[in-house]
Amino acid sequence: FLMDQKILLDQIKLKSVELGFDDLGITGLERLDFNSNKLKEFIELNFHGEMSWLKNNLEVRSNPKNIWNDARSAIILGINYGPGYNPLFELQSQNKAYLSVYSRRRDYHKVIKSKLKELAAFIKHIVKTEIKVFVDTAPLMEKPLANLAGLGWQGKHTNLVSRKFGSWLFLGVILT
């Protein structure tokens, strides 16, 4: 049984690389209490400011099972969007506008969602399971899930920090 799981995981990893993902990790959905409690505290202290969607979706956001009760695990995928150079040098140019690196490409929501759907179809082809995909569009705590899945840790700036890619990762989630 464990060998079958390893073979399945290897096939999923291989397909994810083929689709352009740079990192992948898997986690269960049991260990989110710390993050859920921190989020509740954040809201209670009104640190969310005008981001009312955080407060409105607090209970749903606290665990992926509140989005989909049958969810058992999360596959977290990352795509590196870091440039091959230091973008801070561009700030020295006084005659050009500066756009954040992540916004210089096609909308990452669309790009990643199509890749996630393709990976989900692949997974459903090789194993009988139900799947839902998410790219920053649902009340889901992607960064804590990515941390639990081993993609990195959350820095003080709240972004995920990867040993391989720094803070340059777009995240996508597949719930199974």
Side-chain angles (χ1 to χ4, degrees):
F1 181 70
L2 287 176
M3 186 50 114
D4 290 343
Q5 285 181 332
K6 179 168 178 1
I7 292 169
L8 175 64
L9 180 58
D10 288 346
Q11 289 177 326
I12 293 170
K13 283 182 178 179
L14 192 62
K15 184 65 173 180
S16 75
V17 169
E18 181 185 308
L19 291 170
F21 289 104
D22 296 301
D23 210 352
L24 177 148
I26 298 177
T27 185
L29 307 176
E30 311 71 45
R31 300 176 293 158
L32 289 166
D33 288 345
F34 173 79
N35 299 94
S36 298
N37 291 335
K38 284 304 214 180
L39 180 60
K40 287 176 187 169
E41 180 183 323
F42 183 84
I43 298 298
E44 287 168 3
L45 293 170
N46 285 317
F47 288 167
H48 62 292
E50 295 180 12
M51 297 181 292
S52 59
W53 67 90
L54 285 173
K55 185 176 183 178
N56 297 344
N57 294 312
L58 180 60
E59 286 309 310
V60 174
R61 190 178 300 277
S62 66
N63 191 302
K65 288 185 161 292
N66 296 336
I67 293 174
W68 183 29
N69 191 46
D70 292 334
R72 294 179 44 205
S73 62
I75 303 170
I76 315 302
L77 296 122
I79 292 183
N80 174 21
Y81 67 91
Y85 59 91
N86 185 343
L88 292 177
F89 293 125
E90 295 173 350
L91 294 175
Q92 296 171 3
S93 176
Q94 300 280 323
N95 61 348
K96 291 183 181 176
Y98 183 83
L99 293 174
S100 182
V101 172
Y102 85 90
S103 65
R104 298 178 190 182
R105 302 175 182 180
R106 289 185 50 222
D107 183 344
Y108 74 91
H109 299 92
K110 294 176 184 174
V111 172
I112 294 176
K113 191 158 204 164
S114 68
K115 292 175 184 292
L116 288 174
K117 286 181 176 181
E118 196 170 338
L119 184 58
F122 173 80
I123 294 168
K124 288 168 87 169
H125 180 73
I126 60 176
V127 66
K128 184 172 171 48
T129 187
E130 291 299 313
I131 291 179
K132 295 189 186 296
V133 300
F134 302 91
V135 184
D136 193 25
T137 53
L140 194 66
M141 294 191 293
E142 294 99 341
K143 292 179 281 187
L145 286 169
N147 174 270
L148 290 172
L151 269 68
W153 66 94
Q154 267 186 274
K156 288 183 180 181
H157 57 358
T158 75
N159 289 335
L160 185 78
V161 181
S162 161
R163 288 193 189 280
K164 299 176 198 171
F165 306 108
S167 296
W168 300 97
L169 277 182
F170 289 134
L171 297 174
V173 177
I174 297 177
L175 294 181
T176 63

